[in-house]
Amino acid sequence: MFVVATAGHVDHGKSTLVRALTGMEPDRWAEERRRGMTIDLGFAWTTLPSGGTVAFVDVPGHERFVPNMLAGVGPVPAALIVVAADEGWMPQSAEHLAALDALGVAYGLVAVTRADLADPGPATARARAEIAATSLGAVETVAVSGVTGAGLPELRAALDRLAARLPAPAVDDPVRLWVDRSFTVRGSGTVVTGTLGGGRLRVGDELELAGTDELVRVRGLHSLGAARPEAAAVARVAVNLRGTPRDRLGRGDALLTPGRFHRTDVIDVRLAGDPAADLPATLTLHVGSAAVPVRVRPLGPDTVRLRLARALPLLVGDRALLRDPGRHHVSGGVRVLDVAPPPLARRGAAAARARILADLDGRADLAGELRRRRLVRVGTLIRMGVPVHAEPVAGDWLADPEHWRQLGERVTEEVSRHAREHPLEPGMPVDALRQRLDLPDRVLVEALVRPPLRILAGRVGAAGVDALPEPVARAVQRVRAEYGDRPFRAPEADRLVDLGLGPREIGAAVRAGALLRLADNVVLLPDALDGAVRVLAGLPQPFTLSAARQALDTTRRVAVPLLELLDRRGATRRLPDDARIVVT
Ligand SMILES: Nc1nc2c(ncn2[C@@H]2O[C@H](COP(=O)(O)OP(=O)(O)OP(=O)(O)O)[C@@H](O)[C@H]2O)c(=O)[nH]1
Ligand SMILES: [Mg+2]
């Protein structure tokens, strides 16, 4: 299915054309039929010569109902622009085209209607010229009569060609269904309708209701008038919601894939085209089917901050439109650059912000977001519309690599400073360090602490010799001096006693990572393990205990517990016949 919204001046024959093409009545209200005028959106569909289906969102042309028109075209990426041959290009022809242009609609065609009443030539030429300068570019035009049926076969063929040009729908995107209607069906409860522009919906799905954060469940789905278990974009859909009162949602609300959208009431945007220098301070922002009053704060030459009267589920890159409701005037299109911009509190912050925005184009950019935000959760970025293809530094936190490196350096500085200022404390409390570095989560501190620093009992301190009491540190130094060139010889028990390394001192040295304990009174320097694996890997595999002992130039007293430790660490494996292999 593809979805097309009509556009064009009042009474130019949009509804008549939709009726002629589909055999369905787009003017749903008795009042519309009585007045011969569309007031609200209408919906109809038909099969094209190719066998494909086109669904129409028929919009009102009257200037009073432009907000309804915008709710219809907002989520729809293609337009059927209708111009009457006998009246030609008129104010709402221009306003509707400006709206399509502002929203960046790139696919469309023109029907010059009422061609039985006047030569369609001049209206066709004017429409072509006006449209050529917009996001729609060069479009096909077809002269038709909704009354005689002339031109309808050609229009159907042109709709097929338009459908073939549309980009493939993003069926794997998260769902953001902008509600354009909600009503109650007796026995079923609340039903909402909308144009599903991306993703898919299934009966039983849980969705977030944008306004309230509430989760709602899809009880039933209809598309093209029939119940379906599933609907994939692009489609017109009617969604029956279980247990959701009708007054809970209406036009401008959205149903969302849970956890995928950021609700925001402050956005930084780029104005499309040549922005008017005198943009009013208050305007209405139209996006999807929503219309929300906004306050406009200019930042750069073509960038502004918008403060929304109501939070909306917006993503980086979204297109929207600003309109001045008082002057019936589309002020222009906007492209969302940032859905979670920083506050502008300091003097000069707005100018600095403008310089940053000057480099943004509304395309999601992970590296740039990390550079600007420095530390951010994976889920936060995904909810802004930024795909994440980077590994978190800790938990679900992503970091700008340069910022992370600097934080690592600051950890060392802060811990040293703390040690100087509090010489009797066994390290800096993790939380004090977290606050000092202004980190939002303790897991970040834990990930930043690297040897020779380490966390023990909630404090960050130096591991290794530096952290040991002076006599123990000296003893360890002696071991290092005496055994550095024969790393697998452990000092004998009496030598340990001579060095002043009793069980308590050895325990402290082991906890500080300065010694490695293989068994009671059997200690090596901590780098011995890696060295041993290198030596053993050089042996013919598998090797025996005796071969290992000889290669390491050591005694059974060391070799037996050393190999057992390597087994436990998975560096070696003991085979059934007691020989071993190095695990690579
Ligand atoms: N002769 C002739 N009359 C037409 C044709 N198309 C529409 N009309 C008449 O023009 C009038 C307006 O047509 P609609 O289809 O209601 O126009 P619309 O564009 O939907 O108007 P709004 O929805 O109010 O903007 C009606 O009286 C139609 O019968 C046509 O091709 N030929
Ligand atoms: Mg109409």
Side-chain angles (χ1 to χ4, degrees):
M1 182 191 324
F2 85 111
V3 183
V4 183
T6 60
H9 197 73
V10 63
D11 266 355
H12 276 202
K14 298 178 289 299
S15 302
T16 303
L17 189 57
V18 168
R19 205 176 292 124
L21 286 167
T22 66
M24 297 172 73
E25 177 53 65
D27 285 334
R28 296 172 288 122
W29 298 0
E31 184 190 352
E32 293 178 312
R33 294 201 286 272
R34 195 172 62 243
R35 291 169 65 179
M37 174 194 274
T38 305
I39 296 169
D40 201 10
L41 303 173
F43 308 97
W45 57 89
T46 189
T47 305
L48 292 172
S50 66
T53 305
V54 56
F56 293 98
V57 176
D58 183 38
V59 308
H62 194 282
E63 102 182 317
R64 270 182 47 211
F65 307 129
V66 170
N68 289 345
M69 181 271 178
L70 293 174
V73 300
V76 176
L80 173 60
I81 300 172
V82 170
V83 190
D86 56 332
E87 241 186 22
W89 198 253
M90 293 292 280
Q92 267 62 55
S93 315
E95 185 172 8
H96 286 193
L97 179 62
L100 297 174
D101 187 32
L103 293 170
V105 174
Y107 301 92
L109 65 103
V110 173
V112 178
T113 49
R114 297 163 60 113
D116 54 308
L117 298 179
D119 171 14
T124 304
R126 175 77 188 275
R128 256 191 223 281
E130 296 284 347
I131 294 167
T134 70
S135 56
L136 286 138
V139 289
E140 272 199 72
T141 60
V142 185
V144 296
S145 167
V147 172
T148 68
L152 290 185
E154 289 78 2
L155 183 57
R156 288 177 199 281
L159 283 165
D160 251 336
R161 285 191 293 277
L162 178 64
R165 283 173 49 218
L166 291 177
V171 290
D172 295 324
D173 275 7
V175 167
R176 176 173 53 176
L177 181 71
W178 292 103
V179 172
D180 49 34
R181 252 187 328 154
S182 71
F183 48 90
T184 315
V185 172
R186 196 194 294 269
S188 297
T190 302
V191 174
V192 300
T193 69
T195 303
L196 184 64
R200 46 177 98 237
L201 279 173
R202 293 182 191 83
V203 172
D205 276 357
E206 217 168 48
L207 297 170
E208 255 170 38
L209 190 51
T212 63
D213 275 353
E214 218 175 307
L215 285 176
V216 296
R217 192 171 300 272
V218 176
R219 176 179 176 178
L221 266 180
H222 275 66
S223 190
L224 306 179
R228 297 168 201 265
E230 171 175 335
V234 173
R236 285 292 309 167
V237 292
V239 185
N240 181 201
L241 298 173
R242 172 169 298 169
T244 309
R246 149 95 168 77
D247 58 8
R248 199 65 65 75
L249 74 185
R251 177 168 296 171
D253 282 324
L255 294 175
L256 311 171
T257 299
R260 296 300 298 272
F261 291 88
H262 178 72
R263 258 59 63 73
T264 179
D265 58 4
V266 187
I267 54 177
D268 285 351
V269 303
R270 164 156 299 118
L271 306 166
D274 278 332
D278 58 341
L279 212 53
T282 54
L283 286 168
T284 302
L285 180 77
H286 294 262
V287 58
S289 62
V292 175
V294 293
R295 293 198 60 80
V296 181
R297 171 168 184 181
L299 293 173
D302 63 350
T303 50
V304 296
R305 173 157 298 185
L306 301 179
R307 199 164 284 283
L308 283 58
R310 168 167 78 82
L312 291 177
L314 299 179
L315 300 177
V316 170
D318 273 343
R319 313 280 308 233
L321 173 161
L322 288 171
R323 182 168 184 269
D324 187 340
R327 291 164 53 202
H328 286 283
H329 172 69
V330 171
S331 305
V334 302
R335 182 103 194 238
V336 176
L337 302 178
D338 194 339
V339 292
L344 302 175
R346 287 177 297 106
R347 257 176 77 85
R353 183 65 186 159
R355 283 194 294 279
I356 289 172
L357 293 177
D359 291 333
L360 305 187
D361 62 3
R363 261 180 303 198
D365 160 26
L366 178 64
E369 292 293 344
L370 291 181
R371 212 163 43 245
R372 288 185 293 279
R373 297 180 196 278
R374 311 211 288 189
L375 277 170
V376 61
R377 292 196 130 102
V378 172
T380 306
L381 283 183
I382 288 175
R383 278 194 294 274
M384 293 177 187
V386 179
V388 172
H389 41 78
E391 281 301 310
V393 290
D396 61 348
W397 289 95
L398 296 165
D400 172 53
E402 175 57 20
H403 181 58
W404 191 246
R405 197 187 57 69
Q406 289 173 7
L407 281 173
E409 287 174 359
R410 292 221 25 227
V411 165
T412 313
E413 289 163 21
E414 293 295 342
V415 172
S416 309
R417 183 219 299 256
H418 185 92
R420 279 196 308 278
E421 290 171 1
H422 309 273
L424 296 178
E425 279 187 26
M428 183 173 188
V430 170
D431 210 53
L433 180 56
R434 186 186 67 72
Q435 285 174 20
R436 192 86 200 171
L437 299 179
D438 199 18
L439 293 174
D441 192 334
R442 190 185 164 100
V443 297
L444 293 165
V445 183
E446 288 162 5
L448 282 165
V449 171
R450 303 215 189 85
L453 294 184
R454 51 143 198 192
I455 298 176
L456 195 67
R459 286 174 181 269
V460 186
V465 181
D466 304 348
L468 289 173
E470 186 54 33
V472 183
R474 225 173 317 124
V476 170
Q477 296 291 19
R478 295 278 295 279
V479 173
R480 195 166 273 285
E482 286 174 34
Y483 292 86
D485 55 348
R486 38 186 186 143
F488 310 111
R489 290 295 179 94
E492 295 299 332
D494 48 0
R495 182 67 191 130
L496 290 174
V497 172
D498 286 350
L499 288 165
L501 288 174
R504 279 190 42 215
E505 289 77 12
I506 289 176
V510 167
R511 277 194 302 280
L515 286 179
L516 177 72
R517 184 186 356 229
L518 295 179
D520 277 351
N521 274 335
V522 184
V523 296
L524 295 179
L525 293 165
D527 31 6
L529 275 190
D530 287 343
V533 174
R534 270 196 301 279
V535 171
L536 297 175
L539 289 177
Q541 308 283 314
F543 54 84
T544 61
L545 171 63
S546 145
R549 187 182 59 67
Q550 284 173 33
L552 295 170
D553 182 25
T554 188
T555 56
R556 280 184 64 90
R557 175 174 166 261
V558 171
V560 170
L562 176 59
L563 287 172
E564 285 170 356
L565 179 61
L566 291 175
D567 290 343
R568 284 200 298 280
R569 300 231 173 144
T572 54
R573 197 163 78 232
R574 190 170 182 168
L575 305 176
D577 65 354
D578 274 0
R580 283 186 170 82
I581 52 170
V582 171
V583 178
T584 48

